[in-house]
Amino acid sequence: MAKRELTRPYEPNPVLRAIYRRFFEKIQVDDAWVRKVLDLASEGSIVYVLRNLNFIDFLALDYLTKRHRLPQVRFVNDLGLWILNPMGKGWLNAIMPPKTISRSAELEDALERGGSAALFLKRPPGVLDLAAGASGGRGLNEGDGLVRTLFELQRKRDRPILLVPQVFVWTKFPDSRGTEPLDFVLGPREWPSPLRTVAQFLYNYKHVELKLGEPIDLSAFLAANPGSPDPVLVRRLTYAVLGRLERERRSVTGPAEKPPERVRQEIIRSPKMRAVIDDLADERTDKYMLRQRALEMLKELQATPDRTTIKAMEVLFDRIFTRIYAGIEFEKSDIERLRAAAKDGVLVLLPSHKSHIDYLILSYIFNQHNLPLPLIAAGDNLNFFPMGAVFRRGGAFFIRRSFRGDRLYGAVVDAYVRRLLRSGYPVELFLEGGRSRTGKLLAPKFGLLNMVADAALAIPDKECLFVPISIGYERVIEAQGYERELRGGEKTKEDAAGLLKSRELLRHRYGTINMQVGQILTFGEIRREIAIDAGVPLSPAKRRSLVTRLGNRVMDEINRVTAITPGALTALSLLSHEQRGIGHSELVDYCSKLLSVAEGMGARTSQTLRTAAGRLRPEALREACQMFIDAEIVEVQFLEDPGSSGNQAGAGATYSVLRNKRLSLDTSKNIIVHFFVERALVAMALLTAPEGAGEGRATFPWVRDRVQALSKLFKFEFRFRADAPFEAIFESTVQAMAAAGEVVREGEMLAAGPGHDGWNGHLWLRTYASILQNFIEGYYVAARALELLEKSPLAEKELTKKALSAGHRLFLEGSIERAESVSKTIVQNAFQAFIDHGYLTVRDTKLDLADGMASREAFGAVAENLRAWIPGRTA
């Protein structure tokens, strides 16, 4: 006689089935979750373990297991679900079998029939429980008896019972410390009643996510705890499961929050802040006044993230963002790496900084993918009315650009950052300090990173994970403003009026944004790199070395993972092409060749740049050209059809960059210029070799010395690899160029090679050299400006302004070829290089000619030596 079927899966009535499909279909379920549960089902019997008794959780889990053809739920704690199915009670035996049948028999039947079970460990505290503080806000016991039943079942069977912790994250609102009035009605946010869950779901249904905790093999658990009584095992197992569930939930909601005033008071009362205040107190300034000043500083500094504001910003950003950008590209694997890292430690996000949009990108992506929103270190220049309050509620905290000499303010910032990391908040800061106006990475600023490092080292129980992130653009929205600044104009202060002018932005498209995540770094890894043992206390010198190495590794990682976008590749090709115009088909070929070289060096590419088969997608380049045409940066002509007045990119078009817009395009080019710097330096050395050796031919030592000299000159312009000495980098660069046929080495001689992809070696060398020509010309402009110091020293700002004016004249005269050479940033970097080389010195905050450089012949020789670096030019 067949064994009686004690359990059956839940079957909702047609009306409820339609409702479930309408809402539960929106729940984010990772394919990895499905694969993991299927793998576990092949190994043993599945018991889904959830936190608190809630019929919404059960209905969602039941729906998803059926949708993904997973072992169906045949047993669950008593949920009172009969109220949801008044049209039929036949299914009740599945969920609540007759009371004469033991729970053990029900569970065993569900599992033996290939189904699964759902076990809720807790039930939400009721009003009286909260009022009496009986639960501490943590839920009340519900599943202890069923856990003991599972122990009994596992001891009787060989097939393992696998506990699979599952948590539905219905809301991204973080938990709050203490009990709020609404909790008495709806239950605490972390232990919600069904009514609160429904409200959370309706508010957040686009972002609800099912999270899988690390499974527990019950047979292995019992084997690891021999002799322990069942009550002890129940507590131990419950604690382990709840910990895994909470870890998954916090990976979405982030740490619990406290009222801002309470946070400020706790920071002021911290031992380190008290010590600073005690030390600063004197007869003129007592401790009370210092505490009040510190509280005001904290109020000015503090982020007060508000989910309602963030929700409104999400809607606004979706509507505006999609009008000016074609979207954000990123790798799904990068998101999963970030998600895993967020569970293992505290994230310190270190993105590149090229645009004000950078402040929004990570928050937008994190919000879309249910990661805890970062708190963002922003300059106090963004704390302007009315947007300062909005940014603060969106997660920004505002730091003064400089607080040198104000020890109290430094201590307040340090204490606040330390508090954020200790609490587990992801922190986002821009290591470059300000936005790059040129598209290239700026040198790292170590002020705030030092504070973060001190805070991280002070909490050894929490691992801080430093995340380099490249945010790349095809065209930045500030390009016009950057162009004005690079020509010598003053930086425009951010304010409400400037924000209103941003309506102009909606008239243009700016292409695609690309985000790439580099290798996530830890202090342990950096210690190993610089040979500092983990257990050795850090001296001030070693600590500085640690932070300096970390900052430089982050910047190198950002450069390494920066993706080549269609806009950046098109800009690079248009600006480095030696003719005034370039046809569409020639541009596509030119881009294809440069892209092939960059990918050969390990560069990543934008998803839109390649077809599914891996080929270059010409349409992406046409779209990039059209973007620059619409922005009135590039001019299009149809030479074979002079009567055509079309303004569309594509076949038959010839493009030329408008002379007065080359600086705007240069910002897009420079995002990827670093991939070609090393080859370009070799090319410039070969192409400017002494005439006696033959064109494009010189001795290997001569080329090496010339490249090293130019590398030193450009130390403030480009980031050179710090993971190997110059000789090794030079050797590997030459080897790569020789392997490609761009150069050939014959004994001690180095010369242009046979080439590849339809170009001979000489053409490849000219192409590489052309990429850096504007930088050499810019340094030549700066060198010609040295004559302005012949009479008297000048402030750097004044000298730069006069140098730019002289540079425009040199361009008109034909002494330089590239209009983008006349750039404030290039000229300022050149002056720093001249100080480093001993051509200039600083006297009383002004720039002056160094000793031995006062004669016209001396500073004239500097200019002519630089001019000789330009291929085709002679001294």
Side-chain angles (χ1 to χ4, degrees):
M1 185 174 180
K3 185 179 178 182
R4 176 186 173 189
E5 185 177 11
L6 301 181
T7 59
R8 295 198 305 275
Y10 163 55
E11 290 296 336
N13 65 59
V15 175
L16 290 177
R17 188 180 296 116
I19 294 174
Y20 299 161
R21 186 181 303 112
R22 169 73 176 81
F23 287 100
F24 294 153
E25 191 71 25
K26 300 284 186 180
I27 296 175
Q28 297 182 25
V29 178
D30 196 334
D31 290 341
W33 175 79
V34 178
R35 292 194 300 271
K36 182 67 174 177
V37 174
L38 284 173
D39 290 343
L40 292 171
S42 67
E43 298 173 9
S45 300
I46 299 291
V47 176
Y48 301 104
V49 186
L50 299 96
R51 294 195 331 147
N52 58 300
L53 200 63
N54 191 316
F55 65 80
I56 304 295
D57 282 37
F58 165 73
L59 295 176
L61 178 65
D62 183 71
Y63 173 81
L64 293 174
T65 53
K66 288 172 180 172
R67 189 182 85 179
H68 293 286
R69 302 181 184 278
L70 301 173
Q72 294 185 21
V73 180
R74 300 175 68 98
F75 176 89
V76 68
N77 306 45
D78 185 353
L79 294 171
L81 287 171
W82 62 270
I83 63 172
L84 294 176
N85 205 19
M87 298 174 66
K89 295 185 179 181
W91 63 277
L92 280 176
N93 286 341
I95 305 302
M96 296 180 294
K99 298 300 181 181
T100 57
I101 301 173
S102 70
R103 285 185 166 185
S104 176
E106 297 160 13
L107 258 178
E108 186 171 12
D109 180 78
L111 301 182
E112 289 299 328
R113 293 184 182 278
S116 59
L119 171 60
F120 291 93
L121 293 179
K122 300 276 187 176
R123 63 180 173 85
V127 174
L128 296 178
D129 299 318
L130 287 170
S135 70
R138 294 188 297 274
L140 301 170
N141 289 341
E142 168 65 28
D144 289 5
L146 289 174
V147 173
R148 285 192 291 271
T149 298
L150 286 173
F151 289 157
E152 295 170 5
L153 289 176
Q154 183 62 78
R155 290 175 179 130
K156 293 190 302 182
R157 64 203 310 260
D158 295 328
R159 184 173 170 83
I161 296 174
L162 302 171
L163 305 186
V164 182
Q166 302 280 183
V167 59
F168 286 94
V169 185
W170 299 108
T171 178
K172 293 193 286 187
F173 280 79
D175 302 337
S176 55
R177 299 290 187 186
T179 303
E180 299 177 352
L182 198 61
D183 295 344
F184 291 102
V185 180
L186 301 178
R189 194 175 293 163
E190 57 270 40
W191 299 96
S193 66
L195 181 60
R196 186 163 199 157
T197 299
V198 171
Q200 290 173 339
F201 182 34
L202 293 176
Y203 183 80
N204 190 54
Y205 72 95
K206 289 184 179 180
H207 297 294
V208 172
E209 186 172 6
L210 174 60
K211 304 286 289 181
L212 169 69
E214 185 182 350
I216 296 176
D217 184 331
L218 202 57
S219 62
F221 175 82
L222 292 173
N225 293 274
S228 297
D230 277 4
V232 173
L233 291 176
V234 168
R235 287 196 302 273
R236 193 170 293 167
L237 182 66
T238 301
Y239 178 82
V241 172
L242 288 176
R244 296 178 190 198
L245 289 171
E246 183 64 6
R247 183 169 178 256
E248 296 298 326
R249 196 176 65 87
R250 286 289 177 90
S251 72
V252 174
T253 64
E257 62 182 21
K258 295 181 180 180
E261 175 61 30
R262 179 177 169 185
V263 172
R264 292 195 292 269
Q265 291 292 342
E266 289 180 357
I267 289 174
I268 293 298
R269 291 197 295 266
S270 67
K272 194 169 183 179
M273 273 303 302
R274 284 204 309 253
V276 171
I277 289 173
D278 289 345
D279 196 40
L280 289 175
D282 55 29
E283 294 178 358
R284 291 177 297 174
T285 309
D286 62 21
K287 295 179 184 180
Y288 175 79
M289 292 177 61
L290 289 168
R291 279 195 294 268
Q292 292 305 114
R293 277 182 56 200
L295 284 170
E296 286 301 314
M297 289 173 178
L298 276 170
K299 193 172 183 180
E300 171 190 290
L301 168 77
Q302 188 177 20
T304 55
D306 172 70
R307 275 288 171 182
T308 303
T309 302
I310 292 168
K311 186 77 173 180
M313 291 175 71
E314 176 189 356
V315 174
L316 185 66
F317 192 63
D318 271 335
R319 292 185 178 179
I320 295 178
F321 182 80
T322 52
R323 288 190 61 179
I324 62 177
Y325 285 109
I328 305 175
E329 295 180 338
F330 53 85
E331 297 293 334
K332 187 176 180 180
S333 59
D334 283 346
I335 299 298
E336 294 310 312
R337 283 200 296 134
L338 288 170
R339 195 185 306 281
K343 297 174 189 177
D344 294 336
V346 183
L347 299 184
V348 180
L349 306 170
L350 300 165
S352 57
H353 196 19
K354 297 177 176 66
S355 170
H356 277 318
I357 297 293
D358 297 335
Y359 291 108
L360 306 174
I361 296 301
L362 292 185
S363 294
Y364 181 79
I365 292 174
F366 275 44
N367 187 57
Q368 292 297 104
H369 292 272
N370 285 346
L371 286 161
L373 292 185
L375 298 186
I376 308 164
D380 62 351
N381 59 313
L382 293 179
N383 190 17
F384 59 86
F385 180 82
M387 296 309 299
V390 177
F391 295 152
R392 191 186 301 276
R393 288 173 173 265
F397 59 96
F398 300 104
I399 300 177
R400 298 175 190 171
R401 288 293 181 183
S402 174
F403 42 91
R404 186 174 298 171
D406 191 340
R407 186 181 167 197
L408 181 62
Y409 186 76
V412 165
V413 175
D414 177 68
Y416 181 69
V417 171
R418 191 178 299 246
R419 173 59 179 261
L420 295 181
L421 294 183
R422 190 179 294 277
S423 298
Y425 286 101
V427 174
E428 177 182 346
L429 62 98
F430 297 97
L431 200 51
E432 296 167 89
R435 290 169 294 160
S436 168
R437 267 61 176 172
T438 66
K440 296 188 286 89
L441 286 184
L442 302 176
K445 304 292 192 301
F446 293 101
L448 190 55
L449 184 63
N450 272 310
M451 288 187 175
V452 171
D454 284 342
L457 292 169
I459 48 173
D461 55 316
K462 284 184 180 290
E463 180 79 271
C464 280
L465 305 167
F466 298 89
V467 187
I469 299 174
S470 169
I471 301 177
Y473 299 86
E474 296 194 78
R475 181 173 172 242
V476 295
I477 60 173
E478 299 96 333
Q480 188 173 350
Y482 289 172
E483 178 190 346
R484 185 180 60 254
E485 290 182 42
L486 293 172
R487 291 186 185 280
E490 295 296 324
K491 176 186 174 184
T492 304
K493 182 178 180 182
E494 287 84 358
D495 56 17
L499 187 71
L500 293 176
K501 293 177 184 175
S502 65
R503 288 179 298 178
E504 174 71 13
L505 299 176
L506 301 181
R507 294 179 56 245
H508 299 290
R509 300 283 288 183
Y510 293 83
T512 303
I513 298 173
N514 187 284
M515 185 199 78
Q516 301 284 335
V517 179
Q519 178 189 345
I520 298 175
L521 304 169
T522 65
F523 276 134
E525 294 171 53
I526 303 299
R527 276 178 179 263
R528 288 191 291 274
E529 287 182 11
I530 58 177
I532 299 177
D533 292 337
V536 175
L538 290 173
S539 65
K542 287 184 177 180
R543 188 199 145 285
R544 282 193 300 273
S545 297
L546 189 71
V547 176
T548 300
R549 182 58 170 257
L550 172 64
N552 284 314
R553 284 280 279 112
V554 166
M555 303 309 280
D556 289 343
E557 273 297 295
I558 291 174
N559 261 348
R560 184 183 69 83
V561 301
T562 294
I564 296 180
T565 63
L569 182 61
T570 301
L572 178 75
S573 299
L574 288 170
L575 289 175
S576 60
H577 185 68
E578 294 184 327
Q579 305 302 318
R580 291 183 179 178
I582 182 171
H584 181 78
S585 59
E586 185 183 357
L587 176 68
V588 172
D589 181 62
Y590 200 97
C591 288
S592 177
K593 287 177 168 60
L594 290 179
L595 179 62
S596 175
V597 170
E599 288 184 317
M601 292 186 282
R604 303 183 183 187
T605 57
S606 165
Q607 297 166 10
T608 60
L609 197 52
R610 290 290 192 190
T611 65
R615 299 186 182 91
L616 177 68
R617 179 173 163 264
E619 181 63 16
L621 301 178
R622 190 203 66 78
E623 292 167 354
C625 289
Q626 191 63 54
M627 174 180 66
F628 294 131
I629 291 168
D630 292 341
E632 299 178 348
I633 294 173
V634 171
E635 184 179 48
V636 60
Q637 298 180 56
F638 291 85
L639 302 181
E640 296 181 2
D641 184 10
S644 174
S645 58
N647 204 31
Q648 297 296 309
T654 297
Y655 311 112
S656 56
V657 184
L658 295 174
R659 191 191 73 190
N660 63 341
K661 289 295 183 181
R662 290 182 69 93
L663 264 176
S664 283
L665 197 60
D666 200 49
T667 302
S668 296
K669 161 201 166 183
N670 284 337
I671 291 174
I672 61 171
V673 72
H674 60 277
F675 288 115
F676 302 93
V677 169
E678 291 165 359
R679 293 194 181 197
L681 296 181
V682 173
M684 296 182 98
L686 272 175
L687 292 174
T688 57
E691 293 183 3
E695 188 178 15
R697 182 179 177 83
T699 66
F700 187 84
W702 188 90
V703 173
R704 182 191 59 221
D705 293 344
R706 289 277 282 177
V707 171
Q708 187 170 33
L710 197 52
S711 299
K712 291 178 178 178
L713 183 69
F714 280 152
K715 67 180 290 187
F716 299 100
E717 199 68 57
F718 304 111
R719 286 200 60 79
F720 295 102
R721 289 165 49 195
D723 59 345
F726 167 81
E727 289 76 12
I729 296 172
F730 175 75
E731 184 71 40
S732 66
T733 301
V734 171
Q735 286 178 359
M737 295 177 73
E742 295 163 357
V743 298
V744 60
R745 186 173 179 180
E746 300 170 346
E748 282 297 294
M749 297 302 295
L750 197 62
H756 59 96
D757 294 325
W759 285 359
N760 61 37
H762 185 78
L763 185 51
W764 275 109
L765 295 180
R766 287 200 64 87
T767 299
Y768 291 143
S770 184
I771 291 173
L772 295 194
Q773 182 169 331
N774 64 303
F775 294 99
I776 283 289
E777 290 186 348
Y779 279 52
Y780 171 71
V781 168
R784 285 289 298 269
L786 295 181
E787 65 186 48
L788 299 171
L789 301 174
E790 192 174 12
K791 293 181 179 179
S792 63
L794 292 172
E796 182 183 355
K797 185 176 180 179
E798 184 179 359
L799 181 60
T800 300
K801 187 175 182 180
K802 291 185 175 183
L804 293 174
S805 178
H808 290 301
R809 185 176 65 252
L810 290 171
F811 175 74
L812 294 174
E813 293 172 353
S815 298
I816 59 175
E817 298 176 350
R818 305 290 177 85
E820 67 270 26
S821 304
V822 188
S823 161
K824 181 167 71 173
T825 299
I826 293 179
V827 169
Q828 289 174 335
N829 287 340
F831 289 152
Q832 290 298 312
F834 294 167
I835 293 172
D836 191 60
H837 278 64
Y839 306 151
L840 287 177
T841 188
V842 180
R843 293 192 176 99
D844 297 327
T845 71
K846 293 185 177 182
L847 294 181
D848 194 7
L849 294 169
D851 295 339
M853 290 295 299
S855 68
R856 186 172 293 270
E857 292 78 12
F859 56 70
V862 174
E864 292 309 313
N865 286 337
L866 283 166
R867 184 181 176 86
W869 273 101
I870 305 172
R873 301 277 185 173
T874 57

PDB file of all heavy atoms in Angstrom, residues 6 131 218 354 520 527 675 747 752:
ATOM      1  N   LEU A   6       1.420  13.286   2.779  1.00  0.00           N
ATOM      2  CA  LEU A   6       1.093  14.205   3.871  1.00  0.00           C
ATOM      3  C   LEU A   6       1.201  15.667   3.463  1.00  0.00           C
ATOM      4  O   LEU A   6       0.595  16.534   4.092  1.00  0.00           O
ATOM      5  CB  LEU A   6       2.030  13.942   5.060  1.00  0.00           C
ATOM      6  CG  LEU A   6       2.002  12.530   5.644  1.00  0.00           C
ATOM      7  CD1 LEU A   6       2.970  12.443   6.816  1.00  0.00           C
ATOM      8  CD2 LEU A   6       0.595  12.144   6.081  1.00  0.00           C
ATOM      9  N   ALA A 131       6.933  47.214  23.455  1.00  0.00           N
ATOM     10  CA  ALA A 131       6.768  48.117  24.592  1.00  0.00           C
ATOM     11  C   ALA A 131       7.514  47.604  25.810  1.00  0.00           C
ATOM     12  O   ALA A 131       8.115  48.366  26.571  1.00  0.00           O
ATOM     13  CB  ALA A 131       5.287  48.300  24.901  1.00  0.00           C
ATOM     14  N   LEU A 218      23.721  20.034   7.313  1.00  0.00           N
ATOM     15  CA  LEU A 218      23.336  19.669   8.678  1.00  0.00           C
ATOM     16  C   LEU A 218      24.083  18.438   9.166  1.00  0.00           C
ATOM     17  O   LEU A 218      24.420  18.343  10.349  1.00  0.00           O
ATOM     18  CB  LEU A 218      21.824  19.443   8.742  1.00  0.00           C
ATOM     19  CG  LEU A 218      21.189  19.582  10.123  1.00  0.00           C
ATOM     20  CD1 LEU A 218      21.479  20.946  10.710  1.00  0.00           C
ATOM     21  CD2 LEU A 218      19.674  19.363  10.027  1.00  0.00           C
ATOM     22  N   LYS A 354      36.808  63.217 -13.553  1.00  0.00           N
ATOM     23  CA  LYS A 354      36.871  64.041 -14.758  1.00  0.00           C
ATOM     24  C   LYS A 354      35.667  64.949 -14.919  1.00  0.00           C
ATOM     25  O   LYS A 354      35.669  65.844 -15.764  1.00  0.00           O
ATOM     26  CB  LYS A 354      37.012  63.143 -15.990  1.00  0.00           C
ATOM     27  CG  LYS A 354      38.299  62.324 -16.006  1.00  0.00           C
ATOM     28  CD  LYS A 354      38.366  61.406 -17.205  1.00  0.00           C
ATOM     29  CE  LYS A 354      39.709  60.665 -17.243  1.00  0.00           C
ATOM     30  NZ  LYS A 354      39.874  59.738 -16.134  1.00  0.00           N
ATOM     31  N   ILE A 520      41.126  45.113  -6.446  1.00  0.00           N
ATOM     32  CA  ILE A 520      40.831  45.632  -5.107  1.00  0.00           C
ATOM     33  C   ILE A 520      42.039  45.393  -4.215  1.00  0.00           C
ATOM     34  O   ILE A 520      42.563  44.276  -4.140  1.00  0.00           O
ATOM     35  CB  ILE A 520      39.567  44.961  -4.542  1.00  0.00           C
ATOM     36  CG1 ILE A 520      38.362  45.286  -5.446  1.00  0.00           C
ATOM     37  CG2 ILE A 520      39.293  45.427  -3.115  1.00  0.00           C
ATOM     38  CD1 ILE A 520      37.075  44.588  -5.058  1.00  0.00           C
ATOM     39  N   ARG A 527      51.676  46.061   2.065  1.00  0.00           N
ATOM     40  CA  ARG A 527      52.789  45.753   2.981  1.00  0.00           C
ATOM     41  C   ARG A 527      53.733  44.746   2.341  1.00  0.00           C
ATOM     42  O   ARG A 527      54.950  44.888   2.413  1.00  0.00           O
ATOM     43  CB  ARG A 527      52.238  45.186   4.300  1.00  0.00           C
ATOM     44  CG  ARG A 527      51.786  46.212   5.329  1.00  0.00           C
ATOM     45  CD  ARG A 527      51.218  45.468   6.534  1.00  0.00           C
ATOM     46  NE  ARG A 527      50.771  46.338   7.598  1.00  0.00           N
ATOM     47  CZ  ARG A 527      51.472  46.658   8.672  1.00  0.00           C
ATOM     48  NH1 ARG A 527      52.699  46.175   8.816  1.00  0.00           N
ATOM     49  NH2 ARG A 527      50.981  47.439   9.613  1.00  0.00           N
ATOM     50  N   PHE A 675      47.967  54.893 -22.966  1.00  0.00           N
ATOM     51  CA  PHE A 675      48.289  53.591 -23.555  1.00  0.00           C
ATOM     52  C   PHE A 675      49.411  53.689 -24.599  1.00  0.00           C
ATOM     53  O   PHE A 675      50.070  52.690 -24.892  1.00  0.00           O
ATOM     54  CB  PHE A 675      47.045  52.981 -24.214  1.00  0.00           C
ATOM     55  CG  PHE A 675      46.015  52.497 -23.233  1.00  0.00           C
ATOM     56  CD1 PHE A 675      44.760  53.098 -23.161  1.00  0.00           C
ATOM     57  CD2 PHE A 675      46.288  51.448 -22.378  1.00  0.00           C
ATOM     58  CE1 PHE A 675      43.810  52.662 -22.265  1.00  0.00           C
ATOM     59  CE2 PHE A 675      45.341  50.991 -21.463  1.00  0.00           C
ATOM     60  CZ  PHE A 675      44.108  51.609 -21.408  1.00  0.00           C
ATOM     61  N   GLY A 747      71.880  44.278 -33.880  1.00  0.00           N
ATOM     62  CA  GLY A 747      73.023  44.550 -33.018  1.00  0.00           C
ATOM     63  C   GLY A 747      72.723  45.721 -32.110  1.00  0.00           C
ATOM     64  O   GLY A 747      71.769  45.698 -31.341  1.00  0.00           O
ATOM     65  N   ALA A 752      63.459  51.804 -38.006  1.00  0.00           N
ATOM     66  CA  ALA A 752      62.078  51.517 -38.372  1.00  0.00           C
ATOM     67  C   ALA A 752      61.998  50.135 -39.005  1.00  0.00           C
ATOM     68  O   ALA A 752      62.876  49.733 -39.772  1.00  0.00           O
ATOM     69  CB  ALA A 752      61.559  52.582 -39.329  1.00  0.00           C
TER      70      ALA A 752
END
